[in-house]
Amino acid sequence: MDFRLNESQTLFQRTVRQFCDAEIAPQSREIDTKQRIPSELLDKMGQMGLFGTTIPEEFGGGGDLTIATLGAMEMGRADVSMATAVYYLLVTGWSRILAKFGTQECKQELLPDIAAGKKFLGIASTEAGGGSDVANLQTIAVRESDHWVINGSKAFISGVTEAVERGGGHLLLARTTPGNDHRGISLFYVPAKIEGMTVTPYQDMGRMGISTCEMHMDGVRIPSHYLLGEEGKGFYHTMEGFNVARNLVAAACVGAGERGLEMGMEYIKQRQAFGKPLGKFESVQFELSDHYAELELVKTMVMKGAWMLDEYYSEASTITASELTRTIAIVKLRAPQMAFAIYKSTMMWFGAAGYTKEYDVEMGLRGIMSYLVGAEGALNIMRVILGRELLGKDFIPYK
Ligand SMILES: Cc1cc2nc3c(=O)[nH]c(=O)nc-3n(C[C@H](O)[C@H](O)[C@H](O)COP(=O)(O)OP(=O)(O)OC[C@H]3O[C@@H](n4cnc5c(N)ncnc54)[C@H](O)[C@@H]3O)c2cc1C
């Protein structure tokens, strides 16, 4: 067993840190206030190969999920609003699923542009009436000769405006067999800019640089090669995607948490109260130590998750789906809570100053909140998954 990064992982991390410090961190406040990630920045990330880490070399990518996880940590550190990290992790996470389940035609059409940062890729599973109960979705896809015709609406979908502007779209779940069973659902690639699609943005409280939108589809026609994997197996393909994306989410929370704790430490070392720095008060030190301990525990678990994912996708894998799912549920459950707790304490240490936009603490707090509320799966759903894996499928609470 070896807990160190190897040479190429260390080099990747160092290179991305330098890039993030020079290009992303100085722009993070502007990303939040202007509510967009500059396209020049996304172009540069594409040129660096950041979006290709989960895409096979034959389609212009190169890397693995450990590399992608290190990338997500750096993005979370550099832009604590989480917008850049979300953009990055959606593209890298869901590209892995497109690379695994997409038809050759679909992969050839999309993956080289995604790897180069020219196209966005996200996930559209949530519906207003379903939420956590993904299998209860109402969007319908009907086959018409060599096309699928899609009708329905998706809610709270990240990156739709970006996909309309830059190109790309979402892996979208739709029912292909009537009923409310998870076995009648299929997964499709659906471009964001297509006839019959109406996009309505929400006004979010955080991660302002990336949009979340409602997508309404009225007779959207997509070619049959946009079906991913097997018809009727879309629910399972998506759950596999969630395992990938959730570890990346947890990695971004680790990065943001690290930066939040650094901001807090810098502050309590210099801010004087009652004649001494705040950091000399034991109650503050103990709080800091608890956060650091939790951060290190979660970070180790996230790196384990990355290693398990790479193992799981290797030909000689000995990792079971249940082992993987448990690890990922743990990190998605704990990482957002850990990062949120850090930002809450840091804001308290900053006092009133932390409540202003002079400092990035409030921006981090708002961004992390998205992952507590539900993006890539609500916390209670992680608990439901763990309960199911530990006790068996008969103990799913909502069946
Ligand atoms: C910023 C943001 C971005 C998002 N981006 C995307 C995206 O790109 N693509 C996409 O498909 N979705 C996206 N979502 C939606 C996200 O997946 C959902 O928020 C999530 O699945 C929860 O659904 P819901 O919000 O409808 O909450 P609900 O399902 O209504 O849940 C509400 C509360 O009830 C709890 N709850 C639900 N079921 C149970 C249960 N069985 N036991 C105990 N408690 C339960 C939940 O934990 C939650 O606290 C995004 C959400 C946010 C906030």
Side-chain angles (χ1 to χ4, degrees), residues 90 123-128 130-134 155-159 170 204 207 212 242 370 373-381 384 397-398:
L90 283 170
I123 173 70
S125 63
T126 307
E127 299 189 358
S132 302
D133 188 2
V134 177
F156 313 114
I157 308 304
S158 303
H170 293 74
D204 287 334
R207 43 178 259 190
T212 55
F242 278 135
S370 69
V373 167
E376 301 283 351
L379 297 188
N380 274 354
I381 297 310
V384 167
Y398 44 81

Side-chain angles (χ1 to χ4, degrees), residues 105-321:
E105 213 175 340
C106 186
K107 290 193 284 192
Q108 256 156 2
E109 186 183 321
L110 296 171
L111 288 178
D113 279 349
I114 293 172
K118 292 178 187 160
K119 281 196 169 125
F120 173 85
L121 187 68
I123 173 70
S125 63
T126 307
E127 299 189 358
S132 302
D133 188 2
V134 177
N136 194 23
L137 60 84
Q138 305 299 318
T139 296
I140 290 173
V142 177
R143 193 194 286 272
E144 274 183 16
S145 68
D146 57 350
H147 279 75
W148 289 92
V149 180
I150 306 182
N151 284 288
S153 293
K154 295 286 168 183
F156 313 114
I157 308 304
S158 303
V160 186
T161 307
E162 290 74 7
V164 169
E165 287 175 4
R166 284 184 76 81
H170 293 74
L171 302 188
L172 184 141
L173 273 180
R175 185 162 294 291
T176 43
T177 308
N180 60 1
D181 194 293
H182 65 280
R183 280 163 293 207
I185 296 171
S186 302
L187 186 64
F188 300 91
Y189 167 72
V190 179
K193 200 172 175 180
I194 190 168
E195 207 182 325
M197 176 82 77
T198 314
V199 171
T200 315
Y202 299 98
Q203 287 299 316
D204 287 334
M205 67 172 267
R207 43 178 259 190
M208 310 305 281
I210 184 164
S211 65
T212 55
C213 300
E214 185 191 77
M215 303 163 77
H216 180 70
M217 288 152 290
D218 187 5
V220 165
R221 285 172 71 81
I222 53 164
S224 53
H225 68 262
Y226 281 179
L227 171 71
L228 269 77
E230 269 182 67
E231 187 181 332
K233 292 272 171 69
F235 183 84
Y236 300 103
H237 303 335
T238 305
M239 292 305 130
E240 198 170 321
F242 278 135
N243 272 346
V244 174
R246 282 171 185 159
N247 204 61
L248 294 171
V249 164
C253 291
V254 166
E258 248 171 19
R259 183 67 200 119
L261 211 55
E262 277 172 18
M263 286 192 269
M265 284 193 286
E266 284 158 21
Y267 194 80
I268 61 176
K269 278 201 253 178
Q270 56 84 18
R271 172 69 178 175
Q272 303 271 329
F274 300 95
K276 56 182 176 180
L278 281 176
K280 284 206 172 179
F281 292 102
E282 204 174 52
S283 63
V284 175
Q285 265 185 29
F286 283 9
E287 207 180 343
L288 167 69
S289 303
D290 280 347
H291 287 313
Y292 179 73
E294 185 69 10
L295 176 68
E296 286 298 304
L297 286 170
V298 174
K299 188 176 181 179
T300 306
M301 199 67 176
V302 168
M303 292 313 296
K304 182 184 175 191
W307 171 81
M308 286 180 98
L309 282 162
D310 281 327
E311 274 291 301
Y312 186 73
Y313 284 115
S314 72
E315 275 173 19
S317 170
T318 53
I319 306 281
T320 66

Side-chain angles (χ1 to χ4, degrees), residues 24-25 27-33 35-37 75-87 205-210 252 256 259 263 343 360-371:
I24 300 181
Q27 302 196 66
S28 62
R29 179 55 77 174
E30 213 172 304
I31 288 172
D32 194 64
T33 49
Q35 303 194 7
R36 61 182 295 124
I37 306 169
M75 301 292 148
R77 256 186 82 84
D79 175 9
V80 300
S81 83
M82 303 299 274
T84 315
V86 171
Y87 190 106
M205 67 172 267
R207 43 178 259 190
M208 310 305 281
I210 184 164
R259 183 67 200 119
M263 286 192 269
Y343 277 87
D360 289 347
V361 184
E362 60 80 36
M363 197 163 75
L365 195 86
R366 285 186 282 117
I368 295 291
M369 199 61 209
S370 69
Y371 286 126

Side-chain angles (χ1 to χ4, degrees), residues 325-346:
T325 299
R326 270 182 274 159
T327 300
I328 304 298
I330 291 170
V331 297
K332 176 60 173 69
L333 175 63
R334 296 299 284 269
Q337 296 189 80
M338 170 278 293
F340 185 78
I342 286 176
Y343 277 87
K344 186 178 165 212
S345 286
T346 300

